[in-house]
């Protein structure tokens, strides 16, 4: 009994042809280097394994490079970043802010002497300070004008004295008849008195002209603190502190100078009144500082 060999899936050696050159880049490294085609049967072609993309990349030189993935990015890295960020906590700490000034000890009032509020009273005092400063400016300008026109002032005084003397002479002629000697004596006395009066006025003008810079300086200082008073009435703690110092200086100045201008009794009343105004300013400053201390806080954010 003759047995036939089992069919083989290998290509038949008789069905060969010239193989093409393997220089094509698409299959470089997949097919061997052959110079002719080999004729294969349909069943052999269908049974031949088809290499995948990963197999081709592993066999070729491009397999050495990193393979780019077209799939979705892994979520694990984002989750770790989110979890790392979520661990940070923020803490808000409120710290009391220091006040701009310290409270002033002493007797205080709730209203001004006229029944108005403390800010309104300070505003009225500031207006009065403005008028006081303007009066110093007017005084300085007046005495400066007198000094510049001193000759005209002397002429005006002489004309005034002569006019008064002429009226007195007419009145004397209507009542009594004077002798010639008495008329000459009175004329000489009147001349001496007029010259003495003019010299006194000129000296006074010279003294006041020397005080013009002081008047201007005092007016500027009072106007400066008047502006501080307006700011203090608006609620500025720093301006209120400065205005209080100015009012304290006024108390000392009034106590020293009032006794020479108004006497002892008048000086006492002036000092009491100026001291009361200083108490009004001090009470307003204490109210501002207490309100600022109660409400002012600083918020600090601590991130851990």
């Amino acid at each position: 009994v003759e047995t036939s060999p089992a069919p083989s899936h290998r290509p038949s050696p008789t069905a060969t042809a010239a193989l093409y050159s393997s220089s094509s880049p698409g299959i470089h490294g997949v097919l061997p280097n052959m110079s002719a085609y080999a004729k294969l049967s349909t069943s052999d072609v269908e049974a031949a394994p088809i290499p995948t993309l990963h197999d081709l990349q592993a066999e070729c030189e491009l397999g050495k490079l990193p393979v780019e993935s077209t799939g979705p990015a892994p979520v694990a890295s984002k989750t770790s970043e989110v979890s790392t960020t979520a661990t940070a906590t923020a803490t808000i700490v409120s710290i009391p802010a220091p006040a701009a000034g310290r409270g002033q000890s002493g007797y205080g009032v709730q209203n001004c002497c006229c029944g108005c509020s403390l800010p309104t009273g300070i505003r009225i005092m500031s207006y009065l300070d403005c008028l006081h400063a303007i009066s110093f400016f007017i005084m300085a300008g007046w005495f400066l004008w007198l000094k510049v026109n001193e000759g005209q002032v002397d002429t005006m005084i002489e004309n005034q004295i002569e006019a008064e003397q002429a009226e007195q002479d007419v009145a004397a002629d209507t009542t009594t008849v004077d002798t010639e000697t008495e008329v000459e004596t009175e004329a000489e006395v009147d001349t001496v008195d007029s010259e003495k009066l003019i010299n006194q006025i000129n000296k006074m003008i010279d003294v006041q002209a020397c005080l013009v810079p002081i008047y201007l300086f005092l007016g500027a200082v009072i106007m400066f603190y008047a502006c501080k008073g307006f700011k203090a009435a608006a609620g500025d703690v720093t301006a209120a502190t400065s205005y209080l110092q100015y009012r304290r200086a006024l108390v000392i100045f009034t106590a020293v100078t009032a006794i020479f201008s108004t006497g002892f009794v008048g000086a006492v009343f002036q000092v009491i009144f100026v001291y009361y105004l200083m108490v009004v300013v001090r009470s307003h400053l204490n109210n501002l500082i207490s309100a600022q201390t109660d409400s002012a806080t600083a918020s600090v954010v601590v991130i851990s």
Side-chain angles (χ1 to χ4, degrees):
V1 179
E2 293 181 1
T3 58
S4 60
S8 175
H9 294 288
R10 295 180 180 179
S12 174
T14 61
T16 59
L19 298 177
Y20 67 95
S21 176
S22 60
S23 61
S24 175
I27 58 174
H28 178 71
V30 178
L31 299 176
N33 231 353
M34 305 177 73
S35 61
Y37 283 104
K39 188 175 181 181
L40 300 178
S41 62
T42 305
S43 60
D44 292 339
V45 174
E46 292 177 354
I50 299 175
T52 62
L53 178 62
H54 292 285
D55 295 338
L56 293 176
Q57 288 180 348
E59 292 179 5
C60 70
E61 294 180 356
L62 294 176
K64 299 179 182 179
L65 299 176
V67 179
E68 182 180 0
S69 176
T70 59
V75 188
S77 59
K78 294 184 178 181
T79 307
S80 61
E81 292 177 1
V82 172
S83 61
T84 305
T85 307
T87 55
T89 58
T91 305
I92 300 177
V93 181
S94 295
I95 301 175
R102 296 182 304 170
Q104 304 292 325
S105 60
Y107 175 75
V109 294
Q110 298 298 325
N111 296 314
C112 192
C113 58
C114 56
C116 59
S117 62
L118 296 178
T120 304
I122 293 176
R123 192 173 290 106
I124 294 173
M125 284 187 279
S126 300
Y127 281 119
L128 294 177
D129 290 333
C130 288
L131 294 177
H132 194 189
I134 293 173
S135 68
F136 272 111
F137 293 147
I138 294 175
M139 188 183 303
W142 170 248
F143 287 117
L144 185 62
W145 183 87
L146 290 178
K147 180 62 180 177
V148 173
N149 300 279
E150 188 174 358
Q152 296 180 5
V153 173
D154 293 342
T155 303
M156 291 171 58
I157 294 174
E158 290 177 356
N159 295 334
Q160 183 67 25
I161 292 175
E162 290 178 357
E164 293 178 355
Q165 186 63 35
E167 292 178 358
Q168 292 177 0
D169 293 342
V170 171
D173 292 339
T174 56
T175 55
T176 57
V177 178
D178 297 330
T179 59
E180 184 179 354
T181 305
E182 291 177 353
V183 172
E184 293 178 357
T185 303
E186 290 179 359
E188 293 177 357
V189 172
D190 293 337
T191 303
V192 173
D193 291 341
S194 62
E195 292 178 356
K196 184 177 181 181
L197 179 62
I198 292 173
N199 291 332
Q200 290 178 354
I201 293 175
N202 289 337
K203 289 180 180 180
M204 182 187 68
I205 293 175
D206 294 338
V207 172
Q208 294 297 331
C210 295
L211 296 178
V212 166
I214 297 178
Y215 293 149
L216 294 176
F217 175 75
L218 291 177
V221 170
I222 295 174
M223 185 63 71
F224 172 78
Y225 282 104
C227 296
K228 291 288 185 180
F230 288 121
K231 292 182 179 180
D236 191 340
V237 177
T238 305
T241 304
S242 179
Y243 194 64
L244 177 61
Q245 296 175 355
Y246 166 71
R247 282 293 165 181
R248 285 176 175 172
L250 279 184
V251 172
I252 299 174
F253 180 79
T254 304
V256 174
T257 59
I259 192 172
F260 299 103
S261 58
T262 59
F264 180 76
V265 178
V268 170
F269 282 104
Q270 286 188 10
V271 170
I272 292 174
F273 179 71
V274 175
Y275 179 80
Y276 177 79
L277 297 180
M278 186 268 294
V279 171
V280 171
V281 179
R282 183 176 63 192
S283 302
H284 178 64
L285 175 61
N286 290 336
N287 292 341
L288 292 178
I289 293 176
S290 61
Q292 186 184 52
T293 304
D294 293 338
S295 61
T297 56
S299 297
V300 180
V301 179
V302 181
I303 300 177
S304 59

